[in-house]
Amino acid sequence: MNGFWGAARAIMGREFLRFIHQRERFIAALVRPMVWLLIFAAGFRAALGLSIIPPYQTYITYETYIVPGLCAMVLLFNGMQSSLSLVYDREMGSMRLLLTSPFPRWWLLFCRLLGSTAISILQVYTFLALAGFFGITMPPLGYVTVLPGLVLGGLMLGALGLVLSSFIKQLENFAGVMNFVIFPMFFLSSALYPLWKMAESSPLLRDICALNPFTHVVELIRFLLYLQINWIALLWVVIWTILLCAAAVWGYDPARGLMKRKT
């Protein structure tokens, strides 16, 4: 067990060191949600009036509504960014060296996933602090109860990035794939508008949003911030996390996964 924990500390420590030396990555992770919160929300506020919907007990501002979605956005972008570094490591050979270690492949990938998730959570709490500075606050205890949702959501979206990175053969192709995945997932979700509002314009689009795994991450975070649990969202996030983690382990198996195609 000492060897397993030693490997975990080394892999997660490497992720934190890389993050510390890439300060622009931290700033960029905060600029995106803050732009949505302070600029886009001003325009959408008048166009998208909100009714009282769970977990809210009264009318809320549009800025308050989109905060959970922007938290999930931070998790999504950082999960993809971490996967981009995996593609780089594979091109440089360090990823192949890591996978030849005596430790199980699933443990190595899980440690990498934990490291990126911890960084994502740090970025989310920084964003929530900045939002509070501009007067957008949640119940005080909600900042604590949301932590398990952030961990689970970070693991799911990070695992999605791992699966995508197992498909990518070259570093230059990853940016296009990221955009192809990130923007549909973000805009076809309840991050910016509730599903009932989407149903008014297109029931089919509403159904697509309801099937989007990112929607369940958003709703899980939304309810936990207000000291409630959305059990349906929790169930789907757990299912998707298990499926994506299993797909990532298979994808990075040189014997039968997608890595075999690159050797």
Side-chain angles (χ1 to χ4, degrees):
M1 290 302 297
N2 289 336
F4 277 83
W5 288 118
R9 287 194 300 268
I11 295 172
M12 295 175 67
R14 184 171 181 266
E15 283 295 296
F16 274 96
L17 285 175
R18 175 179 288 173
F19 176 71
I20 291 172
H21 290 113
Q22 296 175 345
R23 296 182 181 90
E24 64 279 0
R25 175 179 165 187
F26 181 72
I27 296 173
L30 297 177
V31 167
R32 278 187 295 264
M34 292 306 297
V35 166
W36 276 100
L37 187 64
L38 301 178
I39 299 177
F40 285 91
F44 281 104
R45 186 190 305 124
L48 295 172
L50 296 174
S51 64
I52 302 176
I53 56 175
Y56 308 110
Q57 303 299 322
T58 183
Y59 286 100
I60 58 170
T61 63
Y62 182 68
E63 290 87 345
T64 301
Y65 175 81
I66 65 173
V67 163
L70 297 180
C71 291
M73 175 205 272
V74 174
L75 298 177
L76 177 61
F77 272 87
N78 190 70
M80 295 299 162
Q81 191 73 22
S82 177
S83 300
L84 176 63
S85 65
L86 266 177
V87 178
Y88 177 81
D89 287 348
R90 192 174 62 225
E91 284 197 347
M92 297 298 103
S94 55
M95 186 63 189
R96 294 184 185 277
L97 183 63
L98 179 65
L99 292 178
T100 58
S101 71
F103 298 102
R105 186 172 295 102
W106 64 266
W107 178 253
L108 300 174
L109 292 174
F110 182 68
C111 293
R112 182 70 180 257
L113 198 54
L114 279 180
S116 66
T117 300
I119 293 171
S120 298
I121 293 173
L122 174 63
Q123 293 172 334
V124 169
Y125 275 110
T126 305
F127 164 69
L128 288 173
L130 290 174
F133 181 78
F134 287 97
I136 305 169
T137 58
M138 312 295 158
L141 190 57
Y143 295 103
V144 178
T145 57
V146 76
L147 180 59
L150 295 177
V151 173
L152 195 56
L155 290 175
M156 191 199 89
L157 297 172
L160 174 62
L162 286 178
V163 173
L164 291 176
S165 67
S166 68
F167 281 91
I168 307 303
K169 296 181 180 180
Q170 294 180 338
L171 187 64
E172 305 82 51
N173 299 332
F174 195 76
V177 175
M178 281 177 60
N179 292 332
F180 182 76
V181 173
I182 287 176
F183 291 108
M185 286 192 72
F186 179 66
F187 288 110
L188 292 175
S189 73
S190 60
L192 300 179
Y193 20 72
L195 295 183
W196 70 263
K197 181 69 80 172
M198 180 71 71
E200 290 181 352
S201 59
S202 172
L204 176 61
L205 205 56
R206 184 265 176 201
D207 293 339
I208 294 174
C209 293
L211 293 173
N212 184 357
F214 187 74
T215 293
H216 300 297
V217 174
V218 173
E219 293 307 308
L220 180 62
I221 293 173
R222 189 187 311 281
F223 276 73
L224 288 174
L225 278 171
Y226 286 85
L227 314 179
Q228 301 178 43
I229 300 178
N230 187 323
W231 292 103
I232 295 177
L234 175 61
L235 175 63
W236 279 110
V237 172
V238 170
I239 291 174
W240 275 107
T241 301
I242 294 172
L243 291 176
L244 290 171
C245 286
V249 173
W250 180 85
Y252 274 93
D253 187 349
R256 60 181 181 274
L258 298 169
M259 289 290 290
K260 185 178 180 181
R261 305 175 189 176
K262 303 174 181 63
T263 57

